[in-house]
Amino acid sequence: MTDSARHGDYLTHVIELAWAAREAGNRPFGAVLVDPEGLIVESGLNDAVVSGDVTGHSETNLVRAATRKLRGADLSGYTMYTSAEPCLMCAGAIYLSGIGRVVYALPASELGVIAGADSPVRTVPTDLAQALRDAPDAPEIIHHDMGEAGSSVHRGFWPGPR
């Protein structure tokens, strides 16, 4: 299986998790952590709305669960797949965990357009690669375009463009 096909399979799964988060009353984001052998070792959904915890992003929830489960493990060979480009807070958690690669479906810039100016989603105008540019041992960052599949979970959820 090619990297592109593998990325597409995992991203399809995290988009399904994003739909599950949305159906549970949360914001539509999901993530998984994949070990070097290709096994999903942990998953995370956004639970910020239901929990009332503004840090309850899918990526931070995933990092918390994975680092507890894999206590002390070297995560440099692991890959995080996430439905949308991680925010700056999540970038910090990813970096501190030592996860070696991040593959995301929807860029933050596109999410901002879908969500619209009146949206409660806050996007900082710095992409993930820029945020981690000067960090030693920063993870490899890959945008894998999933087309409509990557954006459809957000359509109708956010207020939308003016």
Side-chain angles (χ1 to χ4, degrees), residues 91-104:
I94 292 163
Y95 177 70
L96 292 173
S97 73
I99 293 169
R101 183 188 314 168
V102 177
V103 181
Y104 64 90

Side-chain angles (χ1 to χ4, degrees), residues 130-144:
Q130 180 68 26
L132 295 175
R133 182 190 69 212
D134 296 328
D137 300 321
E140 176 185 8
I141 299 162
I142 300 169
H143 168 228
H144 184 86

Side-chain angles (χ1 to χ4, degrees), residues 105-129:
L106 184 67
S109 59
E110 289 182 35
L111 174 59
V113 170
I114 292 167
D118 295 329
S119 171
V121 67
R122 294 181 181 188
T123 57
V124 177
T126 301
D127 65 30
L128 182 61

Side-chain angles (χ1 to χ4, degrees), residues 34-146:
V34 176
D35 72 12
E37 288 75 42
L39 299 173
I40 295 174
V41 296
E42 196 60 66
S43 61
L45 284 84
N46 182 292
D47 70 355
V49 173
V50 172
S51 72
D53 178 357
V54 298
T55 69
H57 294 194
S58 60
E59 299 90 349
T60 53
N61 287 338
L62 172 67
V63 167
R64 283 185 200 109
T67 55
R68 282 186 201 119
K69 180 188 247 181
L70 304 169
R71 193 172 298 273
D74 176 7
L75 300 181
S76 63
Y78 288 64
T79 301
M80 176 188 285
Y81 288 89
T82 183
S83 57
E85 184 175 12
C87 71
L88 290 177
M89 175 186 69
C90 294
I94 292 163
Y95 177 70
L96 292 173
S97 73
I99 293 169
R101 183 188 314 168
V102 177
V103 181
Y104 64 90
L106 184 67
S109 59
E110 289 182 35
L111 174 59
V113 170
I114 292 167
D118 295 329
S119 171
V121 67
R122 294 181 181 188
T123 57
V124 177
T126 301
D127 65 30
L128 182 61
Q130 180 68 26
L132 295 175
R133 182 190 69 212
D134 296 328
D137 300 321
E140 176 185 8
I141 299 162
I142 300 169
H143 168 228
H144 184 86
D145 189 359
M146 293 293 287

